[in-house]
Amino acid sequence: MTKTSHSIKDIIVTPIAVGDPPLLNCVGVHAPFALRIILEVITEGGVTGISEIPGNKETEEAILRIKPELIGLDVFQPNHILRTVASTFPDQSDGENRGGAPWDQRIVVHIFSALEVACLDIMGKELNCRVSDLLGGTMREQVPFAAYLFYKFKGAGGQFGYELDSNATGWDKARQAEATSTSGIIDQAVAMCEAFGYKSIKLKGGFFPPDKEVEDTLAIHKAFDGTMPLRYDPNAVWSLETGIKWAKVFKGKLEYLEDPVRGQKNMALLKKEVNIPLATNMCTTSFKDLPGSLQVHSEDIILSDHHFWGGLRSTMELYKICKTFGRGFSMHSNSHLGISMAGMVHIGAALPVFDHEFDTHYPWQNEDVIVGGKLKVEEGCVTLPTGPGLGVEIDRIQLQKLHQNYLDCGLTRRDDEAEMQKLDPNWKIVDTRY
Amino acid sequence: MTKTSHSIKDIIVTPIAVGDPPLLNCVGVHAPFALRIILEVITEGGVTGISEIPGNKETEEAILRIKPELIGLDVFQPNHILRTVASTFPDQSDGENRGGAPWDQRIVVHIFSALEVACLDIMGKELNCRVSDLLGGTMREQVPFAAYLFYKFKGAGGQFGYELDSNATGWDKARQAEATSTSGIIDQAVAMCEAFGYKSIKLKGGFFPPDKEVEDTLAIHKAFDGTMPLRYDPNAVWSLETGIKWAKVFKGKLEYLEDPVRGQKNMALLKKEVNIPLATNMCTTSFKDLPGSLQVHSEDIILSDHHFWGGLRSTMELYKICKTFGRGFSMHSNSHLGISMAGMVHIGAALPVFDHEFDTHYPWQNEDVIVGGKLKVEEGCVTLPTGPGLGVEIDRIQLQKLHQNYLDCGLTRRDDEAEMQKLDPNWKIVDTRY
């Protein structure tokens, strides 16, 4: 391939760690630091594109391993780059399994998402347009997100772990507070909605027994006068029997129930018993899962995550498939910073029809890696950045600080089970807990 | 919307007529002129994007009617343009029927395809990249097409109608020759493949009774030593019983059988009886048809036509759906010139995996509307133009000449039935002829 100003000259991979509160989920508790990888793709023309993906040692090593193959490729030809990535990991490019955890453990889609977003950022900068324009056009300037509630232990994570900052007020206070009781989770919901103006709420469950979590969800429903669209997600740790039992209780009260049970078959069986909207980011998680999903109608709403579906363009393709086959579309989230947020906002801005507020962990992180600090969430919405490309840039001092966090914290991959075992040595990940 | 250099300043619509031989099909015979509409979209910045769509008076009038709504829209925001078009024709934007003829009679998708291709042409020119780059990247420089055989009466169409040019040689001679007998269609196949180096052949049928057409198809198979991939298309005028009977005869001898019967249900029933690859451009022709197609598995290969599916990006979305659900992808054709050809070539260049040579009527037209004359077909392939955008430009003298043809010929819409009735007053279009 002839070298041009659009050829990749270098790729810089920086693992970082950002403070993350002790949020609870079906596999355990978040460690004090969430890991991310920041990618910088630099062209011969001197333009840098950036992206952010979930951090773990294997992904970082895989990117570094493939890097020599990528040097010289044209950032305007993302499908060529995809082909190169896929051919370097032939065993993983198609049949790779996402694993049983709430987060996706595939390598290839992560790498491609990292590269694709950085390429789109460069294209936008070269073309003086926004990434949303490259995804079909900018349909809106405000992209709505949902409040994302978590059961949690006290503390805000980071270097102070479970300690509290007693001077904190408002959301900063609620972000650190313990929330395991009904009143605790309602306080969290109220504080989060007051701070960010969210117009819908999701509760991450799967940690406590169903009766308690369902009671809490209904209490949130009541606390907001039954008018706030509400989602609840036990992350597939319920048996089919448990799922059917509690889904019936939720009927008419949820915007949707997310992954109550594990696998498309169980989702479809639950749906046959209880007519309630079901969403997923665990049962249908790749293009190869879609035929099965449609055949048995296991879900009504597919929650994409551009880090897991292979990028922003793939996410738009998933959207088109959802619209073609009568499914709703929204986006899933793990702990993330402003670069991933920008990617989600560009998708949200480009969707011809916006179905459901996107999930985001964003308020749970109290610092960022982008210039100007965290993107504002106001009235539940993030405003599409105006700059070319993604419209966000790396704050070098923050990058260095968060990379030092990574080196200091000693974590190399997400392991909520090990973190939970520090508190409860008998804790184990199980496929079906209840 | 703020006016920028990318705002639409003007749209010029020019109906044209180009000589078309008396090709036979299930609804009759091609008139001496095929109608096309040439669209020119001009931005405030003075850049012109072009496109070509099937011509008829209704489409032309509809574009002119909607034109005031389009002035000022941003060519970099095609989804906004789509929304404007769709909201102007609410009754037709979703539920519109393609009609029973081999060609699609919807208005909205035609208009959107015309606008989208012109916008992409402008984007490519503004960004100094090819349209294929805007569709995900250029995966190949040579795009393969299939020889497209037709039963035909003598003559080359145009102003001389059924008369012959006795000095013609090679393909020019074969293009004018009668081809209704077995030897006639084989001569046509040999001449076309010799002239253009095609590596696969399609025979358009549905005119003569099945026994004759099947015999001819098998004769072509034999004439090329059984090694040439072969397709046959009776355009859905067979009953299910007829379809099953003859599909059995074709088993193992066709690359695919195209639209043997009418409707997804009949296609699926035929498929259950005879295990032969089926393709369609009549039974599954829009995104809303796809769920039904997949549910009953009515086809193995979907033949897009970017004029009917709403543009080049939609065609790429259809491709992704085909790949996701295990279907093959190729492209359908009606009589067309070099601008439509360029659009097809850009799609062919952008497809990550190329399944089946595209159909094209292109050799049947002996003149073009683009600078430099017809794009070359060599070794069965068209080379992707190198220029920015579509890479083809309008030849103003040719445009004027072909527009004069349009004014002179008096045709305002395609009507193969009326043309056939000049020869056989008893001829009638029927849904199921055999």
Side-chain angles (χ1 to χ4, degrees):
Chain A
M1 194 171 282
T2 320
K3 194 193 281 185
T4 73
S5 66
H6 297 158
S7 302
I8 296 176
K9 185 180 182 182
D10 198 6
I11 296 173
I12 300 171
V13 183
T14 311
I16 61 171
V18 61
D20 198 24
L23 308 178
L24 298 168
N25 61 54
C26 68
V27 292
V29 60
H30 286 206
F33 289 95
L35 307 185
R36 306 294 284 176
I37 291 169
I38 304 299
L39 200 82
E40 296 171 78
V41 173
I42 303 157
T43 65
E44 292 287 346
V47 177
T48 299
I50 61 176
S51 59
E52 171 198 343
I53 56 170
N56 77 56
K57 198 74 188 161
E58 285 82 6
T59 308
E60 186 195 341
E61 287 170 352
I63 299 175
L64 293 174
R65 201 157 70 242
I66 199 181
K67 181 176 154 177
E69 309 295 324
L70 302 174
I71 302 299
L73 296 188
D74 184 345
V75 294
F76 275 70
Q77 304 292 336
N79 286 351
H80 269 294
I81 294 175
L82 169 62
R83 183 181 283 183
T84 301
V85 173
S87 65
T88 309
F89 303 97
D91 296 344
Q92 295 174 297
S93 62
D94 191 36
E96 208 182 357
N97 199 297
R98 71 175 293 286
W103 59 95
D104 195 300
Q105 285 145 58
R106 291 172 297 160
I107 299 284
V108 173
V109 289
H110 280 90
I111 295 179
F112 191 61
S113 130
L115 292 167
E116 194 240 22
V117 172
C119 287
L120 286 169
D121 188 29
I122 294 170
M123 286 188 225
K125 287 168 178 169
E126 288 276 9
L127 308 176
N128 195 29
C129 69
R130 298 191 280 193
V131 166
S132 52
D133 296 334
L134 299 174
L135 301 175
T138 303
M139 305 303 281
R140 60 193 63 78
E141 296 291 329
Q142 307 289 328
V143 175
F145 288 81
Y148 200 163
L149 310 184
F150 280 84
Y151 290 115
K152 69 182 289 287
F153 298 137
K154 72 169 184 180
Q159 56 178 316
F160 301 110
Y162 297 109
E163 283 180 40
L164 291 180
D165 170 5
S166 55
N167 296 320
T169 57
W171 167 244
D172 266 344
K173 186 177 174 189
R175 196 171 65 82
Q176 298 178 48
E178 178 171 345
T180 50
S181 66
T182 307
S183 65
I185 203 75
I186 289 178
D187 288 349
Q188 187 188 98
V190 171
M192 200 184 242
C193 289
E194 270 186 15
F196 304 106
Y198 289 116
K199 304 284 190 297
S200 63
I201 292 176
K202 166 175 170 172
L203 171 63
K204 167 69 75 184
F207 184 81
F208 292 114
D211 53 350
K212 174 197 160 41
E213 294 195 351
V214 172
E215 186 190 322
D216 290 349
T217 307
L218 296 177
I220 297 166
H221 180 72
K222 200 175 164 192
F224 286 85
D225 300 325
T227 57
M228 181 71 99
L230 190 60
R231 314 150 181 191
Y232 166 68
D233 174 16
N235 266 140
V237 289
W238 286 356
S239 69
L240 178 58
E241 193 187 357
T242 303
I244 291 171
K245 175 181 170 186
W246 295 109
K248 283 179 181 165
V249 175
F250 280 134
K251 266 197 75 166
K253 290 180 176 158
L254 289 189
E255 182 185 2
Y256 56 74
L257 179 57
E258 181 178 336
D259 290 317
V261 292
R262 192 171 295 271
Q264 293 177 343
K265 192 181 152 196
N266 282 336
M267 290 283 274
L269 289 170
L270 184 147
K271 215 179 149 48
K272 266 195 186 147
E273 293 293 322
V274 192
N275 183 21
I276 186 171
L278 297 184
T280 191
N281 80 297
M282 293 184 70
C283 301
T284 298
T285 61
S286 71
F287 287 97
K288 74 179 166 53
D289 293 336
L290 287 169
S293 170
L294 293 175
Q295 198 173 7
V296 300
H297 200 150
S298 42
E299 304 95 11
D300 305 290
I301 298 131
I302 310 280
L303 306 175
S304 175
D305 183 317
H306 68 275
H307 312 93
F308 305 159
W309 284 81
L312 302 178
R313 298 174 318 142
S314 295
T315 296
M316 294 301 292
E317 291 174 332
L318 171 62
Y319 167 82
K320 179 69 179 189
I321 292 175
C322 287
K323 292 296 106 182
T324 300
F325 294 96
R327 299 296 182 267
F329 172 92
S330 188
M331 286 194 80
H332 158 269
S333 158
N334 282 135
S335 304
H336 66 90
L337 296 176
I339 306 174
S340 286
M341 181 53 120
M344 296 174 75
V345 171
H346 282 280
I347 289 171
L351 297 179
V353 176
F354 195 93
D355 290 338
H356 302 276
E357 287 87 349
F358 293 173
D359 288 348
T360 180
H361 286 61
Y362 202 48
W364 291 106
Q365 273 61 57
N366 72 339
E367 58 185 337
D368 211 325
V369 71
I370 58 174
V371 172
K374 288 168 72 70
L375 295 167
K376 280 199 174 62
V377 183
E378 291 171 322
E379 297 289 310
C381 291
V382 176
T383 300
L384 183 69
T386 54
L390 286 173
V392 294
E393 291 299 335
I394 291 173
D395 180 324
R396 313 303 311 186
I397 292 169
Q398 275 298 111
L399 183 70
Q400 197 174 341
K401 176 186 166 195
L402 299 180
H403 178 57
Q404 193 61 48
N405 277 353
Y406 174 81
L407 298 174
D408 294 345
C409 75
L411 300 171
T412 55
R413 59 184 57 82
R414 181 171 172 180
D415 191 345
D416 293 15
E417 182 186 40
E419 194 64 24
M420 190 66 196
Q421 284 168 345
K422 293 178 189 169
L423 306 167
D424 174 2
N426 295 320
W427 178 264
K428 278 268 171 227
I429 290 182
V430 291
D431 263 8
T432 306
R433 196 175 295 279
Y434 301 110
Chain B
M1 194 171 281
T2 319
K3 194 193 283 186
T4 72
S5 66
H6 297 157
S7 302
I8 296 176
K9 185 180 182 183
D10 198 6
I11 296 173
I12 300 171
V13 183
T14 311
I16 61 170
V18 61
D20 198 26
L23 307 178
L24 298 168
N25 61 56
C26 67
V27 292
V29 60
H30 287 206
F33 289 95
L35 306 184
R36 306 294 283 177
I37 291 169
I38 305 299
L39 201 82
E40 297 171 77
V41 173
I42 303 157
T43 64
E44 291 287 346
V47 178
T48 299
I50 61 176
S51 59
E52 173 198 341
I53 56 171
N56 77 55
K57 198 73 189 162
E58 284 81 6
T59 308
E60 186 195 338
E61 287 169 353
I63 299 175
L64 293 173
R65 200 158 70 242
I66 198 180
K67 181 176 152 177
E69 309 295 323
L70 302 174
I71 301 299
L73 296 188
D74 184 344
V75 294
F76 275 70
Q77 304 292 337
N79 286 351
H80 269 295
I81 295 175
L82 169 62
R83 182 182 282 184
T84 302
V85 173
S87 65
T88 308
F89 303 98
D91 295 343
Q92 295 174 297
S93 62
D94 191 36
E96 210 182 358
N97 198 296
R98 72 175 294 284
W103 61 94
D104 195 300
Q105 285 144 57
R106 291 173 296 160
I107 299 285
V108 173
V109 289
H110 280 90
I111 295 178
F112 191 61
S113 131
L115 292 166
E116 194 240 22
V117 172
C119 287
L120 286 169
D121 189 29
I122 294 170
M123 286 187 224
K125 287 167 178 171
E126 288 277 10
L127 308 176
N128 195 29
C129 69
R130 298 191 279 193
V131 166
S132 52
D133 296 333
L134 299 173
L135 301 175
T138 303
M139 305 303 281
R140 60 193 64 78
E141 296 291 329
Q142 307 290 327
V143 176
F145 289 80
Y148 200 163
L149 310 185
F150 279 84
Y151 290 114
K152 68 182 289 289
F153 298 137
K154 73 170 183 179
Q159 55 178 315
F160 301 111
Y162 298 109
E163 283 180 41
L164 291 180
D165 170 6
S166 55
N167 296 319
T169 57
W171 167 244
D172 267 343
K173 187 178 173 188
R175 195 170 65 82
Q176 299 177 50
E178 178 171 344
T180 50
S181 66
T182 307
S183 65
I185 203 74
I186 289 178
D187 288 350
Q188 187 188 97
V190 170
M192 200 183 242
C193 290
E194 271 188 14
F196 303 107
Y198 289 115
K199 304 285 192 295
S200 63
I201 292 176
K202 166 175 171 172
L203 172 62
K204 166 69 75 184
F207 184 81
F208 292 114
D211 54 349
K212 174 197 161 41
E213 293 196 351
V214 172
E215 186 190 322
D216 289 350
T217 307
L218 296 176
I220 298 166
H221 180 72
K222 199 173 164 194
F224 286 85
D225 300 325
T227 58
M228 181 70 98
L230 190 60
R231 314 149 180 192
Y232 167 68
D233 174 16
N235 266 140
V237 288
W238 287 357
S239 69
L240 178 59
E241 191 186 359
T242 302
I244 290 170
K245 175 181 169 185
W246 295 109
K248 284 179 180 166
V249 175
F250 279 134
K251 266 197 74 167
K253 290 181 175 157
L254 289 189
E255 181 184 2
Y256 57 74
L257 179 56
E258 180 178 337
D259 290 317
V261 292
R262 192 172 295 270
Q264 292 177 342
K265 191 181 152 196
N266 282 335
M267 290 283 275
L269 289 170
L270 184 146
K271 215 177 149 49
K272 266 196 184 146
E273 292 293 321
V274 192
N275 183 21
I276 185 170
L278 297 184
T280 192
N281 80 298
M282 293 185 70
C283 302
T284 299
T285 62
S286 71
F287 286 97
K288 74 179 167 52
D289 294 336
L290 287 169
S293 170
L294 294 173
Q295 196 173 9
V296 299
H297 199 150
S298 42
E299 304 95 12
D300 305 290
I301 298 131
I302 310 280
L303 306 175
S304 174
D305 183 316
H306 67 276
H307 312 92
F308 305 158
W309 284 81
L312 303 177
R313 297 174 318 140
S314 296
T315 296
M316 294 301 292
E317 290 174 332
L318 171 63
Y319 167 82
K320 179 70 179 189
I321 292 175
C322 287
K323 292 297 106 180
T324 299
F325 295 95
R327 298 295 182 268
F329 172 92
S330 188
M331 287 194 79
H332 157 269
S333 157
N334 282 133
S335 303
H336 66 90
L337 297 176
I339 306 173
S340 286
M341 181 52 121
M344 296 174 76
V345 171
H346 282 280
I347 288 171
L351 297 179
V353 176
F354 196 94
D355 289 338
H356 303 276
E357 287 87 351
F358 292 172
D359 287 347
T360 179
H361 286 61
Y362 201 50
W364 291 107
Q365 273 61 57
N366 72 340
E367 57 184 338
D368 211 324
V369 71
I370 57 173
V371 172
K374 288 168 73 69
L375 295 166
K376 281 200 175 61
V377 183
E378 291 171 323
E379 298 289 311
C381 291
V382 176
T383 299
L384 184 68
T386 53
L390 287 173
V392 295
E393 291 299 335
I394 291 172
D395 180 324
R396 313 301 312 185
I397 292 169
Q398 275 298 110
L399 183 69
Q400 196 173 345
K401 177 187 165 192
L402 299 180
H403 178 58
Q404 194 61 48
N405 277 352
Y406 174 80
L407 299 174
D408 294 344
C409 76
L411 300 170
T412 55
R413 59 185 57 83
R414 180 171 172 182
D415 190 345
D416 294 16
E417 182 186 41
E419 195 64 24
M420 190 66 195
Q421 285 169 345
K422 294 177 188 168
L423 305 167
D424 174 2
N426 295 320
W427 178 265
K428 278 268 169 226
I429 290 182
V430 290
D431 264 8
T432 307
R433 197 176 294 280
Y434 301 111

